[in-house]
Amino acid sequence: MYRSLPLKDIQITDPFFTARIETARKVTIPYMWETLNDRVPGVAPSHCIENFRIAAGLQEGEFHGFWFQDTDLWKWIEGVAYSLATHPDADLEKTVDEAIDLAGKAQQEDGYLDTYYIVKGIDKRFTNLRDHHEMYVAGHMFEAAAAYYEATGKRKLLDMACRVADCFDANFGPEEEKLHGYPGHEEIEVGLAKLYRVTGEEKYIRLAKYFLDVRGQQPHYYDQEAAKRGETQIAWSHLRYPQKPYTYYQAHVPVREQKEANGHAVRQLYLLSGMADVGSMAGDSTLVEAADTVFDNIIHKQMYITGGVGSTHEGEAFSFDYDLPPERCYTETCASIALAMTASRLNRIAPNGRYGDTVERTLYNGILSGVSLDGTKYFYINPLEVWPDRCVRRQDMHVDPERMGWFGCACCPPNVLRTLTGLGNYIYAADEESLLVDQYIASKVDTEAAGQKIAFTMEANFPWDGKVRMTMNSAASFRLMLRKPWWAKTWSLTLNGELVEASLANGYLTLESAFAAGDVIELDLPMEVRFMNATLRSPNYVGKTALMRGPVVYCLEEKDNGGELWNLSVKAVEAEASHREDLLGGVTTITCQGLRQEGEGDLYNEDAYAEKAQQLTFVPYYAWGNRGRGEMAVWVRKA
Amino acid sequence: MYRSLPLKDIQITDPFFTARIETARKVTIPYMWETLNDRVPGVAPSHCIENFRIAAGLQEGEFHGFWFQDTDLWKWIEGVAYSLATHPDADLEKTVDEAIDLAGKAQQEDGYLDTYYIVKGIDKRFTNLRDHHEMYVAGHMFEAAAAYYEATGKRKLLDMACRVADCFDANFGPEEEKLHGYPGHEEIEVGLAKLYRVTGEEKYIRLAKYFLDVRGQQPHYYDQEAAKRGETQIAWSHLRYPQKPYTYYQAHVPVREQKEANGHAVRQLYLLSGMADVGSMAGDSTLVEAADTVFDNIIHKQMYITGGVGSTHEGEAFSFDYDLPPERCYTETCASIALAMTASRLNRIAPNGRYGDTVERTLYNGILSGVSLDGTKYFYINPLEVWPDRCVRRQDMHVDPERMGWFGCACCPPNVLRTLTGLGNYIYAADEESLLVDQYIASKVDTEAAGQKIAFTMEANFPWDGKVRMTMNSAASFRLMLRKPWWAKTWSLTLNGELVEASLANGYLTLESAFAAGDVIELDLPMEVRFMNATLRSPNYVGKTALMRGPVVYCLEEKDNGGELWNLSVKAVEAEASHREDLLGGVTTITCQGLRQEGEGDLYNEDAYAEKAQQLTFVPYYAWGNRGRGEMAVWVRKA
């Protein structure tokens, strides 16, 4: 079992990510705090802190917002905690402590803490696990508590979280007198796993395992629960998924029998993350294997080239194998984050390059596209093709052609925040003998790993350049495992300038050595422009190509190529990459020869359209939509 | 002003349509009557006749069904009347008379007749013109009444209709004390025009004109009406069309200011039909011109190649120029029928080939696709591309991959019925001097037109063969105007075997002559396979072609070409047409050389896919889906 290196031990110096992390720290964190307090003019009030004040008896009023509104605070604290781990900030910590104190005042005698039910009637709690997200809220609280404890050493939030967990443990479990339910929106499983990791309390991992074991069993808890509520209406999710009731919740069959991704994409991936965590911590390999089976289905049959997942707006959900429409998709930012979470967790159990490849694909594409370059605007949905007229004038599109400032359901912004401030979690991992380098994000490390003190500096300029240089800052003897990205057709590895024959297994180049201080390991992963195809099983991409270079997916924007992108086609199989510091915060663009169809025919005609040579300019997909409204396309016809 | 020849004077002998009309007569008419009476096992009850019985006080009970459920009866009667005009049937007529008697018993003292409000509370009538279709119901009643009177000479239903119209006239109009409203679903305008035509009562055309004149004026009647109802909720249509409130109803601006098609497609086209009728009958050319402007917008920018209209399921509506997605469209059968209605009406005012071309396009494609070859199953939505998995497994598709037996909202089946039994309305028209032949549907005519008795026989084998032969059965001197279809690149016209130099103007070949009995006019319109393009302004069809031959649009079906149709491309620009009597009720198929991409790559890869030669077999689009579930595509990639 591998573990990520502690965030505190990693100082990120990456030229690509540093600016984004700084924006998250300096812009997003204070901005979000203001929104949680309803102090941002022009933004719909969150009511999040107000709900806590009301629940704490400090203020009169009604609960407002979604039944999971509390998570806005918990996700914010988690994101702040990761930041504090490497960038202490006494003022910010004081703000968090005050928020924790406030929440503490709302916590009930028996540990229960969910402002929705505390304000609206606590007698109704635990009556609608299918829809009402109490466990989801708790899971995010546990993640925040573990992160804040690890960052600051302060126990108050952790103790509060344990009391919440104890409350669930007292009410749920296999014992006859307890409830046998489980969450409609998974998340408590990963939260409990973190509580277990931090506290060592076995009951927490046992409870998480119970939630996984009981999920989807017959007679169905959601049927029983709905009957108890006297519900006569058919659940929304049944209407939408009549052929497979409860697939929306991944509760149609027990989790070990699920072979493909189904339903709400974020829930599916939080479930897989929980299965990986619980399976490894509780020693149940059947959970890990089941998670891996569904993960495989996703990356081989249900994932967009950007690492986006969720092909349909209906239920923000997976649809079915090879159904990957580029324009009318969901590909929520949170779902890509959740895919990275799952991949990273599976990699900690049995390292394999495909996991790190997946994290990399999401990080440089489908996650980063969710936030504007200045860090202030967000996409909830990340389509691969946008015709703004269609987004705006077809009311069935559900796709915004431009990023927006904030959402009523503000799940993506804090999720991006915690991903950026917690980026260190994805870079390295170690066990007793080995250190894995999963992402080539430049950083300075000083840690205990593989049974010793390890200190080194990693220099890199991803995703624009494939040269990575590690300099050992202390002597250490261990197995260094460097992920060889799927896109690197060739590579070279040197130690102090001498070529090294490294073995390649499971996607890792492995170098076992007694390193001396000052040793320099250089890995060169040449980045070439690749003209990608999609499988012929998918109807949307036949005859089209998507350009990639290294881990970056490219796209055409109207700004660079004129309108009606659909009339363009790629002619050359040669392309030129050039770095432009002045563009989009500094990006490598790709140019290649293309053709533009031209002609003014009737709606339907037999004209021979003219084709005119046009140089095509591609920019990184993650950076699209930062220069005003316009068309965008990842997949382009081949001439 | 031209008028269609009376149905009674036209005996259709067409090899293509006769079988379909016979099915309509022998299968659809009795079947629908059974459904109206809730006597078809397995079909959701219509409650239509039951509602009339309850409204008539003959039965206790509640109103069931849509608020426009009465139209099921009226549309059935209209369809039956057209059939009776040429095929008298005493038993059927007796059934209709009994239904009329029943409806008569439900009619109120002041003429009002709408079972929804009669049963649910007549005090609420006229309080929600926007949504509740009272005028729509009346319009269909008027059409039925006019048709039944013309077919049978019986006045009872006509008199009832006049009383209904009088009731509206008493309640609506410019006078201060009257209501100044107009229908949310247009139809009463064409109905009143028919009542006017049959009765000569000017008040009916005046009322119809009032409804058109007041439509979309400010202050907005629907705002006022909603305020009177104390409505606080935002109307559904506003939520869907926030940028243009009331476009869904074509009531955003006055009708003469509307320049493009908007909102619910059937409503838009019933409005245009009404504007054409009322404009011509009331002598207001501004109405006709305004209708023509929107019609032009449709056929040049918003019409599918099949004559389907309505690009979006949301509101069953037009979306915007060049937005014509082939898979996710609406293209309701009723909308294509309504497009033919509009085109035919505009042609009666100022004949132009483009109108008859449009009728022809809808008849042989987008209308006929709505009904199965055996006449028992219907498409509501007529997509141009179907991947059944996507229809079934994506809950946001709203497209059925197979025709269904009956619909809860049963608007399309009776609309197809009245189109088929009333097909004669579309074939010929005449004024004082000329006879127009608009559709080459074989038939025998014996009529009064162009100021004299005209009798002739037209033989044709459309849409498979372009040879048309007219034999005069009596001497007559008139101007014969034969529509030259848009697809006929060449033609020849002979009189008694001698080539005739006919002038071509406005899409008509005109032959002015004193014809003798026995004269034979032969028109040859060679049908070639055409590889059609779409305009480059539309994103969906670039690099693709659709095959047509004569008026028929073709498609690929999985049955003939194997699955994954998206992997096929058309290679040849030569194609072979051959007639197969054994297939799909007798169709001309097209074969041509194509390619199939093959390969088993990863989800995303750099493979060079193999291309294998494959002969492609195209069948007429209207006949697709009659051989079990499978893929279908009209537009195919060009190799």
Side-chain angles (χ1 to χ4, degrees), chain A residues 239-244 260 262 298-306 311-314 318-325 327-329 361 385 387 389-396 398 486 489 529-543 564 566-568 597-610 635 637-638, chain B residues 239-244 260 262 298-306 311-314 318-325 327-329 361 385 387 389-396 398 486 489 529-543 564 566-568 597-610 635 637-638:
Chain A
L239 287 171
R240 297 304 199 200
Y241 301 87
Q243 293 116 336
K244 295 192 285 182
E260 53 188 30
N262 263 309
I298 294 169
I299 64 167
H300 292 126
K301 297 182 178 172
Q302 299 208 58
M303 180 182 71
Y304 286 84
I305 195 168
T306 55
S311 297
T312 173
H313 165 268
E314 284 280 353
F318 288 100
S319 59
F320 63 101
D321 291 353
Y322 306 120
D323 179 48
L324 295 159
E327 189 184 10
R328 193 183 166 70
C329 46
R361 189 189 289 272
E385 186 175 308
W387 180 22
D389 277 355
R390 197 174 260 174
C391 296
V392 174
R393 301 189 66 177
R394 270 185 86 95
Q395 268 63 31
D396 61 350
H398 308 290
W486 66 274
K489 291 179 187 171
V529 176
R530 316 186 124 204
F531 292 82
M532 303 301 297
N533 299 318
T535 172
L536 297 178
R537 303 292 83 75
S538 184
N540 287 104
Y541 305 122
V542 181
E564 296 184 355
W566 54 81
N567 283 319
L568 297 175
Q597 288 213 46
E598 292 186 322
E600 298 292 335
D602 290 339
L603 183 54
Y604 304 109
N605 64 65
E606 289 178 281
D607 303 351
Y609 290 129
W635 292 90
R637 276 184 309 116
K638 289 183 272 194
Chain B
L239 287 173
R240 297 304 199 201
Y241 301 87
Q243 293 116 334
K244 295 193 285 181
E260 53 188 30
N262 264 308
I298 293 169
I299 64 168
H300 292 127
K301 297 182 178 171
Q302 299 207 60
M303 180 182 72
Y304 286 84
I305 195 167
T306 55
S311 297
T312 173
H313 165 269
E314 283 279 353
F318 288 100
S319 58
F320 63 100
D321 292 353
Y322 305 120
D323 179 46
L324 295 159
E327 189 184 10
R328 194 183 164 71
C329 47
R361 189 187 289 272
E385 186 175 308
W387 180 23
D389 276 354
R390 196 173 260 173
C391 297
V392 173
R393 302 190 65 178
R394 269 185 86 96
Q395 268 62 32
D396 61 349
H398 308 291
W486 67 275
K489 290 178 186 172
V529 177
R530 317 185 122 204
F531 292 80
M532 303 301 298
N533 300 318
T535 172
L536 297 178
R537 304 291 84 75
S538 184
N540 288 104
Y541 304 122
V542 181
E564 297 185 353
W566 54 81
N567 283 319
L568 297 175
Q597 288 212 46
E598 292 185 321
E600 298 292 334
D602 290 339
L603 183 54
Y604 304 109
N605 63 65
E606 289 179 280
D607 302 351
Y609 290 129
W635 292 90
R637 277 184 309 118
K638 289 184 272 194

